[in-house]
Amino acid sequence: LDKTPNEYIRWRFQHGDDKEALVKDTMTLTEEEKAKCKEPCVFELKDDKGNVSKVKWRIEKLTGGRKQIKKEYEYEVQFVGMDYNSNRYVSATKLNKWGFEKHMKVVDEKVAQRAGAFSTPLTNVNVEKHLEDVGLDKEFGTHTRMAALSGGQKVKVVIAAAMWNQPHIVILDEPTNYLDRDSLGALAGAIEVFEGGVVMITHNNEFCSALCPETWLMQKADDGIARCNCKGDAEWMAKQSKLAVKGAAKMEEMTDALGNVVEVKEAKKSKDKMSRAEKKKAEKIKKAKLARGESVTDSEDDDWD
């Protein structure tokens, strides 16, 4: 609280890492986890002749290197008592089994933060502009200590810090607290145009309903079974359903579960669903194909005849 909002954001992200994200409980090791990470791990080594031998090495740390092999990440590790020439890339599955889950989260966090750091340099001017974009004037963003800010101004600082690295998903816990009417309107407008995902925890039903016209309510019935009930603006929901159907109809390609891109071909109309103009056009195409000596498939013949 002894820093200005501008100083706070530059301090928090000064090395490309989010200092506050790295000290969360989900990133901090317990004593049991520390003890497990000190246990030796079994590695298989191959010599020039293809002979396999097993060794036990203790992992000192994850260096921060990460690469993707097929669908899994591998992380570079350094071993106790060995120099960097002995570093190896180990799969996430093995590291998770050996108790290095939180170490991998730290690396993932740093990689994500560094990717965002290239988009906006961490300078006094850029941070000042960023704070102004969330409604905090230069007087309060650069020249006033955070201890002297009001509750609403502190909320703006928190939102500005959360958005600094341009996240894909933002989680807001009671974001309407301490905000005045103008600020609430600005926040609602920002959420509407934000292209990423937003998860919001709030007791302000009016604010939430304005942003979420459709609500899925999971509620347990008298028989003890929870069912999903959909409620909201019926006109808006009907319009969105039509848009979704039209969008799906216009799809030219899709990606399956294995990541393969599949071309989506538009289904041909049967003859009884064609207009007169479409029938004439189909007949011309058929005659042209026959004139060129090309074969006509059964499905095409059914459509044209």
Side-chain angles (χ1 to χ4, degrees):
L1 295 178
D2 60 339
K3 292 180 171 62
T4 67
N6 194 317
E7 291 171 340
Y8 162 69
I9 290 179
R10 285 187 286 122
W11 164 82
R12 178 170 169 176
F13 299 99
Q14 66 180 339
H15 297 302
D17 306 327
D18 185 349
K19 287 187 175 67
E20 294 195 359
L22 297 178
V23 296
K24 293 187 296 187
D25 289 342
T26 54
M27 301 286 197
T28 306
L29 295 175
T30 63
E31 293 301 322
E32 291 181 359
E33 290 170 333
K34 290 179 181 178
K36 186 174 183 180
C37 291
K38 292 180 180 179
E39 296 176 359
C41 307
V42 178
F43 292 88
E44 292 185 350
L45 303 179
K46 280 186 179 181
D47 59 21
D48 297 336
K49 296 181 179 180
N51 299 318
V52 178
S53 60
K54 293 184 179 181
V55 296
K56 287 186 176 182
W57 292 339
R58 286 195 297 121
I59 296 175
E60 181 177 346
K61 64 179 180 179
L62 272 61
T63 65
R66 189 187 73 177
K67 64 181 181 180
Q68 188 170 3
I69 303 297
K70 294 183 179 180
K71 292 188 177 181
E72 186 176 28
Y73 283 122
E74 291 188 356
Y75 298 81
E76 185 181 19
V77 301
Q78 185 173 335
F79 301 100
V80 175
M82 302 170 70
D83 61 22
Y84 69 91
N85 291 316
S86 301
N87 291 2
R88 299 170 63 92
Y89 277 90
V90 182
S91 68
T93 302
K94 290 183 178 179
L95 289 172
N96 189 50
K97 179 181 177 181
W98 295 334
F100 289 87
E101 180 182 2
K102 290 182 178 179
H103 294 75
M104 290 187 289
K105 284 184 178 181
V106 171
V107 173
D108 294 339
E109 183 76 22
K110 289 184 176 183
V111 170
Q113 298 294 342
R114 287 166 188 163
F118 290 107
S119 58
T120 309
L122 190 67
T123 64
N124 184 60
V125 175
N126 285 339
V127 174
E128 188 174 276
K129 174 65 168 58
H130 184 69
L131 289 166
E132 289 178 341
D133 288 342
V134 298
L136 199 64
D137 294 335
K138 183 191 303 184
E139 176 185 351
F140 301 104
T142 305
H143 305 295
T144 305
R145 302 294 175 189
M146 289 180 61
L149 298 180
S150 66
Q153 290 169 331
K154 289 176 181 176
V155 171
K156 293 176 181 178
V157 174
V158 172
I159 293 175
M163 298 301 296
W164 175 253
N165 274 329
Q166 302 178 358
H168 297 157
I169 297 177
V170 179
I171 301 176
L172 302 173
D173 186 4
E174 299 293 351
T176 62
N177 288 356
Y178 308 109
L179 294 181
D180 55 29
R181 182 170 293 275
D182 291 340
S183 298
L184 282 174
L187 177 61
I191 291 175
E192 285 182 338
V193 300
F194 180 56
E195 296 181 354
V198 178
V199 178
M200 183 165 53
I201 304 165
T202 179
H203 289 88
N204 191 328
N205 186 55
E206 180 182 358
F207 181 80
C208 185
S209 299
L211 292 168
C212 307
E214 181 179 349
T215 305
W216 293 3
L217 179 64
M218 288 296 295
Q219 192 170 22
K220 187 178 289 187
D222 295 336
D223 57 4
I225 300 175
R227 296 178 175 84
C228 181
N229 296 316
C230 189
K231 65 177 183 178
D233 186 337
E235 183 178 349
W236 181 89
M237 291 161 63
K239 181 179 178 182
Q240 294 301 311
S241 297
K242 289 180 180 178
L243 290 175
V245 171
K246 288 181 180 178
K250 293 181 179 179
M251 285 179 59
E252 296 181 353
E253 62 181 32
M254 62 177 289
T255 304
D256 63 17
L258 298 176
N260 303 310
V261 178
V262 181
E263 183 180 354
V264 179
K265 295 183 178 179
E266 185 177 356
K268 293 182 179 179
K269 291 183 178 179
S270 61
K271 187 176 179 182
D272 58 344
K273 293 182 180 180
M274 287 183 175
S275 65
R276 290 184 62 184
E278 288 174 328
K279 290 177 182 178
K280 287 183 179 180
K281 183 179 179 181
E283 187 65 28
K284 285 183 179 179
I285 294 174
K286 175 187 175 183
K287 289 179 179 179
K289 281 193 171 186
L290 292 173
R292 293 194 300 267
E294 298 179 10
S295 61
V296 178
T297 62
D298 293 338
S299 60
E300 289 176 321
D301 207 33
D302 292 340
D303 288 341
W304 290 331
D305 293 336

